[in-house]
Amino acid sequence: MTETVATLEPGLFKRPWVFIRGVPDMKFLPPEGPPEVAFAGRSNVGKSSLINALLEQKGLARTSNTPGRTQELNYFVPEGFSGENGNLPPIAVVDMPGYGFAQAPKEQVDRWTKLVFDYLKGRVTLKRVYLLIDGRHGIMKRDEEVMALLDKAAVSYQVVLTKADKLKTPGVGRLLGETTEKVKKHPAAFPGVLATSSEKGEGLDEVRDAILTAARS
């Protein structure tokens, strides 16, 4: 792990990233090695847009007007690593299937949900989950349910508000305060709520710093 940690620096987000694998079942997970951070959230929260903005690559994570398009655990890593021992990427970013509003049969939704939580409970190299909350609505009932499951699985997670540009400036501060108070009630939640806008580029450096800090832990 020492080799990979040494390359965890801000410039990492400036280099090209590539999609390496979609994981529809736990048996297809890459071997555990580099630290991983995962992004979770409702199907229409802007998860793919935020990942693309953080990694500065349009179209890397798929965006769609159809909620629930991401049906697998999608893995992204910096380009230029063979994946062989001694040449592993320093970190992997995982785009998780969205929850809620998925336009799919219940059996398929249940299968996605099982995949997500089997991954959360069983992945040793998972350093943190970034739980995205739509800034226009704040934490909703389904988000609370997911936070409770993350608490139960003892998975470290941090709340990130999306679409903050849709709120007036005083509204952002108020929402941050309200969300911070709710987060305090959850034992696995990492303190500190981040506000972002993929469209305006707001808050991205703070999320990048949080990712690097988590990956080094």
Side-chain angles (χ1 to χ4, degrees):
M1 188 65 69
T2 304
E3 287 183 271
T4 62
V5 171
T7 60
L8 284 168
E9 54 191 23
L12 190 66
F13 298 102
K14 298 291 184 182
R15 66 185 300 164
W17 285 62
V18 293
F19 167 76
I20 60 163
R21 186 177 301 191
V23 177
D25 187 274
M26 289 286 285
K27 65 185 178 183
F28 297 110
L29 281 171
E32 290 182 342
E36 298 172 10
V37 295
F39 285 79
R42 296 178 73 92
S43 298
N44 61 345
V45 77
K47 183 159 49 66
S48 296
S49 295
L50 182 61
I51 291 173
N52 289 338
L54 288 169
L55 305 182
E56 300 187 6
Q57 285 183 238
K58 293 181 179 179
L60 182 65
R62 298 183 305 172
T63 59
S64 174
N65 291 326
T66 304
R69 183 175 177 185
T70 302
Q71 301 177 16
E72 303 173 330
L73 299 171
N74 288 324
Y75 270 74
F76 305 97
V77 298
E79 191 175 50
F81 298 89
S82 69
E84 301 297 327
N85 289 336
N87 193 27
L88 297 173
I91 189 173
V93 168
V94 183
D95 183 8
M96 300 171 67
Y99 56 83
F101 299 134
Q103 301 300 309
K106 182 180 183 300
E107 295 77 14
Q108 190 172 11
V109 175
D110 289 345
R111 189 162 61 249
W112 300 345
T113 304
K114 183 179 186 303
L115 168 66
V116 165
F117 290 103
D118 283 350
Y119 167 71
L120 291 174
K121 290 184 291 184
R123 193 66 168 173
V124 175
T125 46
L126 177 61
K127 295 295 187 175
R128 186 157 300 150
V129 174
Y130 293 93
L131 181 61
L132 308 190
I133 303 293
D134 191 324
R136 300 169 300 178
H137 308 301
I139 295 175
M140 301 178 73
K141 181 180 178 181
R142 186 67 177 114
D143 300 317
E144 284 279 9
E145 292 170 356
V146 171
M147 292 169 77
L149 284 167
L150 288 165
D151 291 335
K152 186 176 181 180
V155 175
S156 174
Y157 64 97
Q158 185 167 11
V159 169
V160 178
L161 300 173
T162 62
K163 307 178 184 180
D165 58 301
K166 308 300 182 186
L167 303 174
K168 294 182 179 179
T169 302
V172 174
R174 184 166 56 251
L175 181 61
L176 279 169
E178 292 171 355
T179 307
T180 298
E181 288 304 309
K182 290 181 180 180
V183 164
K184 288 179 181 178
K185 301 175 183 177
H186 292 271
F190 186 82
V193 177
L194 303 174
T196 66
S197 166
S198 302
E199 187 175 329
K200 304 292 185 182
E202 297 168 359
L204 299 183
D205 284 340
E206 287 81 357
V207 178
R208 293 179 184 121
D209 288 343
I211 289 172
L212 293 175
T213 300
R216 293 185 185 113
S217 64

